[in-house]
Each structure stands twice: as structure tokens, then as C-alpha cells.
Amino acid sequence: MSNLDPVTLTVIQNGLIQVCNEMDLAFVRAAFSPVISEGMDRSDGIYDTVDGSLIAQGELGLPVFVGTMQFSTRAVIERVKTHYAGKVDPGDVFIVNDPYLGGTHLMDVRFVKPFFYKGELFAWLANTGHWPDVGGMVPGGFSASATEVEQEGLRLPPVKFFKKGEMDQEILSIIMSNIRIADQRIGDIKAQAAALTTGETRLTELIDRYGADVVRAAIAEMRHRAERQMRAKIADIPDGVYEGSSQVDSDGVVDQPLTIKMKITKKGDELTFDMSGSSPPCRGPMNSVIATTKSAIYLAVKHVFPDVPINAGTFEPLRIVEPEGTFLYAKYPRPVSGCAAEVSQRVAEAVFAALTKAIPDLLFAAPAGTSGNLGVGGYDPERKRNYIMYLFTGGGYGGFQGGDGLSNGCSTIGISKMPPVEVLEQFYPVLFEEFSLREGSGGAGEFRGGFGINYAIKLRRGEARVSMVMDHGRTGPQGVLGGHDGGTNLVQIDQGGRVYRPPHISKDQDIEIGVGDVVRVSTPGGGGFGDPAKRSRESIARDVVRGYYTEAEAREKFGPTRAAE
């Protein structure tokens, strides 16, 4: 280790991240589905040979995959030991989407590939891509009323999809026979595999330059330094027990909220997270598998301390009491389609709420906290083909000490917002009648929350079915330190002169629409930070001039004295 100078270490660290970035870009540029090519719902990383722990992940990948892919890689390693006598060959690629084996929901499909350097297994390369459909009850996979995982789609254990570089046509046939729009998936499959090939090439070049022993030493040192940095950050938090909570609107089946109770104990340079007081397992698809629950905590802490590098060392000071007996530790056959996109954000929100009491200057009010998953599946009579349009949307971020929240920001777990309207209109028989800022939706505060958006989608041709798994429709994102909650999620569908609103507010499925029908969604605003009465007159006046509030609305939210000028 003494021969590893700081400059070489930094170059190798950034080189490993760049390998992952190039995998991300290769995946995006070759993928057929807009949710990947435009929405960037994917991630690539490098993982340890022995236990699958995270070595490096691309800066362009989804944060929620930070933790989950190391769990799914570990599941592949275990499958190799038990089913393949511990043997893998160059060119092998495993496919897996089983939520209970380190996954999220079934639509997040993982490829895992052994990486060999000069004939020796050096690491694992893995990526995740959101496939627009994997079968199941509804187009797009987001069934709001599923009561078992089989209703959500095809579940794949870790199997060798590519053997020595050749795709297994029998496995491909099984997959294609169980999903909708199968002819379009082959492009995404080839793009996902090609991204790993890009990673092989770039990682080989990096090791050729510095040598295997030096790169291994750098990986070990990177992990040690990340752990040390995280421990130093945690040590600055006052010792104590901090509690926070958050709420899921409903599970989509039983119209009652689910509660996450988060107790964080800070002692020395470690944090312990206990969610054992949370709601029991639910009937509907808002259960979370343990890999996703843990990853949500990892990403929440990373939001608080963004300058700590991401690798397995980052997570070492974080102790998680596994919440068995709650909806945050789903076991087969509990449905889980809402875990990655929605429940994970409620877990992060509970972490934020708790830590705000300990380190308010580093925290913020709750962000919109929903991906706004919307699936529209139908038949386009003009193009004579079926389609599935899946999209997710942005919302307001919470206010923070010194500033207002960002408007139309990506979700807590994501890096992107909705694919461009023009792309969606080109691919699918829809017209966006509205895409606008949802003015006034941010929670009032000394520093107000950012605003969500309004959008309206009209069906132009044929018939379609609409399904959605969203959240924050019952309660808005939490304000903190006296700030007000952000605006709630709103959904309505205009059907031939009548207005339909989902009974579960933010979740529903199989809503039939025809030509001219319009789906209208308003996404949440972020929570407010601090007492609204302390907001500066200049900030209030600026918001009124920009049309965010009328003068009457400003007086109502911030008080007559503050809004007077």
C-alpha cells in the first residue's frame, strides 16, 4: 500500500468511475425503449469477485441501484456456487430480476457478467435496465392491485443468458413469450449486453496501464478511505436518538395508509437505523424487499453527505436493523412493484425527517418523493401495432437553510425526469395538451418548497388502458422546522364528458380510455423549511412578480405583513 501514491490512487479511482460512465452511455445510446434511452432508467457498476460488494458505480446511474446491485450480484455469486460448481467462463452473462434475490421490482432487469483479466476472475460487471414490460396483469407492470408477485410479471432467478458470448435462444424464447411488445425488447437486451462488453474493454485498458496488483490495492484503499470519510461525517452529528416518520398513501388494495417509523441512533462514528415499528406486510404491491429498503437508507445518507465517494466502504458505518415483520421486509409471494419507485422514497423521507432534528443545517424539507409511475398500453390502428408507454415525472424539492427548493426536480431515487414530450408523442399515439409548472404547490416556509408540474395527455388514436402507482396523494411532502407541507399528488381522467378520480387517490389500474380522453396529473411540491413568517419580503415579492402566487395567496401563506411589499 505504501507504493500507491495519491496521484495514482486518484487516477485509478476516477478511471473506474469512468469505466462505469462509459457503460451507462453505451447502454443509453443503443437502447430502443425511451424509458432507458431518454429517461435513463438504468445503472452500471463494478463489483467484488468474492462477495459482490460495490467497487464503483457510474455517476449517471440511478441512486436507488447503489445498494441493490451489490445484493443481486451476490445472489449470482451464490447461484454459481450451488448450480454451476463455482465455474464461469469469459462471455457468460447472467440475467436476474427476482425481487427477493437482491432486486427491486420485476421491471428492473439485471445483467451480471464475470470479468476476467489474463484468465483470472478479477471482478463482476453488472447493470440494470428498466424494461417497459415483463408481463403481468397490466401493461407496464405497475399493477396497483396485485396481491402476489406472479400477477406482476415474469420472475427470473439468476440464469446464464449468454454462454461464452452466445445468447441462449431457448431462454430468450421463454422471456419473449411472456412479455408484451416482445419484438422491441431484443434491442434493449442487446444494448444491455453491449454495455457490459464496453466495460470489459475499458477496464482491461485501465488494468493494462497500471497492473492488476496496483488496481487491486487502489480498490482496497478506496474502500478504506470512503469508510473513513463517512465515519468522520457521522462523528460530527451529536450523539442521540432521532426519530422520524413518513406515510405511504395506501397499498393499492386496502385504502389505509402505511407508516414508516424510523429511529436513528447515533453513537460515536456509526448510525443505526431501526424501522421495526413500521406497518406490517400489506396485501397490495407497496411491500419493499430488504435490498431496496437498505439501498434507500444508503442513498438517503448519500444525499446528506454527497461528497463521500460511493463504494462498499461508504456503507460500513451504517447499521440497519432488518425490519422483519413489516412491509419493508417483503418475502415471497408478497407483491412489490411499488417498492423501488415509491416505498424507497418514503424510507428516505423518514431518514431525512429524523436527521433534520440532529443536523438541520445539512438537511432539507421533504422532496416530492414520488416517481409518478404511469403506464399506458394499447393498440395504434395507424401504425398497426401494440405499444406500452411508461413515464415518470419530476416534482418540487424541499426548501433548505439558505434557499428555496428546486422546481420540477427528479425523484429522490433518480437522476432524470420524464422523457421529452416530443419523443413520447413521436413514439406513441398521444398528445400532451399541457406541461406546465404547478405554481404555488411548494410548501410555505422561510425557504419555500419547489413546485411540481401539471401535465395532460390526450389519446389520439385507438383505445388504451391506464395504470398508475404514485404516492403523496393523501399527504404532501413534509415541511420542517415550522415549514408547511408541499402540495399533494392529484390525478383525474376526463372520459367522454365525465371526470374519474382514482379511489386510492394515487394508485389504480386498467382504466379504459378512448380517443379524446385525457389523463391529467399534478405532481407534489416540496416541503417548506422554517417559519413562513420569516420569509424575506424580497423573496415574496419576487414570487408574486413571477406569477407563482397572487398577492392574496402570498398573504395567506406568508402573512399579511410579509406580503405587503
Side-chain angles (χ1 to χ4, degrees):
M1 193 68 65
S2 59
N3 295 326
L4 191 65
D5 64 272
V7 173
T8 301
L9 175 63
T10 301
V11 171
I12 292 174
Q13 178 175 350
N14 288 316
L16 292 168
I17 295 172
Q18 183 59 27
V19 169
C20 300
N21 287 343
E22 290 202 36
M23 286 194 284
D24 281 337
L25 292 172
F27 194 176
V28 164
R29 289 171 179 170
F32 279 34
S33 301
V35 66
I36 299 174
S37 63
E38 300 289 345
M40 298 189 290
D41 194 343
R42 53 86 188 98
S43 190
D44 293 79
I46 305 171
Y47 299 85
D48 183 76
T49 304
V50 177
D51 64 358
S53 58
L54 178 64
I55 293 172
Q57 179 168 320
E59 298 164 313
L60 307 174
L62 259 67
V64 74
F65 296 144
V66 166
T68 55
M69 284 210 296
Q70 66 177 1
F71 293 116
S72 52
T73 302
R74 193 169 300 157
V76 168
I77 293 171
E78 292 302 315
R79 176 60 67 110
V80 169
K81 292 177 182 176
T82 58
H83 288 67
Y84 299 95
K87 179 176 172 53
V88 288
D89 296 299
D92 288 350
V93 178
F94 290 81
I95 184 172
V96 57
N97 74 339
D98 192 323
Y100 315 105
L101 294 176
T104 46
H105 49 215
L106 293 174
M107 292 76 77
D108 288 337
V109 181
R110 290 156 172 75
F111 281 15
V112 182
K113 185 175 191 177
F115 169 76
F116 291 85
Y117 184 73
K118 295 184 177 179
E120 180 183 359
L121 183 61
F122 186 92
W124 294 84
L125 305 178
N127 59 16
T128 301
H130 184 114
W131 290 14
D133 189 81
V134 288
M137 294 170 68
V138 300
F142 282 100
S143 168
S145 60
T147 55
E148 58 184 6
V149 71
E150 282 80 8
Q151 295 171 333
E152 296 180 320
L154 177 66
R155 182 164 61 103
L156 295 167
V159 293
K160 277 189 188 180
F161 191 17
F162 288 74
K163 297 176 174 68
K164 298 182 180 180
E166 295 295 323
M167 187 189 302
D168 188 315
Q169 294 300 317
E170 292 183 347
I171 293 177
L172 177 65
S173 296
I174 292 171
I175 294 172
M176 295 294 106
S177 297
N178 283 277
I179 65 176
R180 300 174 180 87
I181 325 296
D183 58 321
Q184 297 175 25
R185 284 301 70 69
I186 190 63
D188 293 334
I189 289 170
K190 291 181 176 180
Q192 197 160 351
L196 297 180
T197 302
T198 297
E200 279 186 315
T201 302
R202 295 293 181 255
L203 186 53
T204 298
E205 292 171 353
L206 182 69
I207 301 173
D208 282 344
R209 181 176 180 183
Y210 293 99
D213 291 341
V214 173
V215 174
R216 285 195 184 96
I219 290 170
E221 181 65 11
M222 287 162 49
R223 181 168 179 166
H224 172 70
R225 291 192 178 200
E227 178 181 349
R228 194 168 62 194
Q229 284 180 258
M230 182 58 79
R231 289 190 183 278
K233 296 287 188 182
I234 293 171
D236 289 337
I237 301 173
D239 281 358
V241 177
Y242 305 98
E243 297 187 10
S245 65
S246 61
Q247 200 173 75
V248 177
D249 289 343
S250 77
D251 68 356
V253 176
V254 179
D255 193 12
Q256 294 178 357
L258 303 169
T259 300
I260 297 171
K261 292 185 178 180
M262 180 72 65
K263 182 169 73 173
I264 301 176
T265 302
K266 189 276 179 176
K267 185 175 181 181
D269 58 3
E270 292 186 352
L271 292 173
T272 300
F273 300 83
D274 188 346
M275 298 161 281
S276 57
S278 302
S279 297
C282 58
R283 289 187 61 202
M286 301 305 282
N287 297 285
S288 177
V289 291
I290 188 60
T292 300
T293 299
K294 288 183 175 181
S295 189
I297 290 174
Y298 296 157
L299 76 86
V301 175
K302 188 67 171 63
H303 271 292
V304 180
F305 303 119
D307 53 333
V308 179
I310 298 178
N311 59 55
T314 312
F315 316 136
E316 288 295 329
L318 310 179
R319 306 284 182 239
I320 300 173
V321 179
E322 296 194 346
E324 294 205 47
T326 76
F327 78 107
L328 303 175
Y329 197 124
K331 297 182 179 180
Y332 176 82
R334 295 284 181 183
V336 295
S337 67
C339 74
E342 301 301 325
V343 180
S344 64
Q345 299 193 63
R346 295 288 75 68
V347 173
E349 185 176 318
V351 172
F352 300 150
L355 289 180
T356 299
K357 298 166 185 174
I359 43 174
D361 289 348
L362 296 180
L363 266 294
F364 36 81
T370 177
S371 296
N373 307 282
L374 182 76
V376 180
Y379 178 76
D380 186 343
E382 182 176 296
R383 296 182 176 179
K384 295 181 171 57
R385 68 185 188 193
N386 294 307
Y387 65 89
I388 296 173
M389 181 180 74
Y390 166 65
L391 59 87
F392 41 82
T393 48
Y397 282 16
F400 59 94
Q401 183 63 54
D404 296 337
L406 179 71
S407 293
N408 192 24
C410 64
S411 68
T412 312
I413 61 163
I415 59 164
S416 62
K417 295 169 289 189
M418 191 168 76
V421 166
E422 296 83 359
V423 171
L424 294 175
E425 290 180 336
Q426 180 182 7
F427 271 78
Y428 309 111
V430 299
L431 175 69
F432 279 80
E433 290 192 328
E434 179 182 5
F435 192 90
S436 64
L437 199 63
R438 187 185 176 190
E439 296 167 345
S441 58
E446 181 178 2
F447 303 101
R448 61 161 174 77
F451 304 139
I453 61 166
N454 302 305
Y455 69 88
I457 303 174
K458 176 190 283 187
L459 186 65
R460 295 173 56 212
R461 299 186 296 271
E463 296 178 344
R465 292 187 292 155
V466 178
S467 299
M468 68 205 68
V469 173
M470 306 176 181
D471 209 54
H472 265 321
R474 190 184 295 266
T475 59
Q478 302 175 51
V480 298
L481 305 179
H484 296 177
D485 293 351
T488 57
N489 193 82
L490 303 174
V491 181
Q492 76 172 49
I493 298 178
D494 299 340
Q495 296 174 301
R498 73 183 186 95
V499 174
Y500 174 82
R501 293 185 175 87
H504 283 253
I505 308 173
S506 58
K507 299 168 183 67
D508 210 336
Q509 70 178 51
D510 275 341
I511 306 166
E512 295 183 359
I513 59 173
V515 174
D517 290 348
V518 181
V519 179
R520 301 184 187 277
V521 177
S522 296
T523 69
F529 187 101
D531 185 353
K534 294 181 179 180
R535 184 165 178 80
S536 72
R537 293 174 179 174
E538 293 78 11
S539 296
I540 296 171
R542 180 194 62 206
D543 287 348
V544 171
V545 168
R546 291 179 176 177
Y548 297 156
Y549 306 104
T550 64
E551 291 188 5
E553 290 171 337
R555 282 194 297 271
E556 179 184 349
K557 290 179 178 290
F558 302 102
T561 303
R562 309 304 299 173
E565 296 183 10

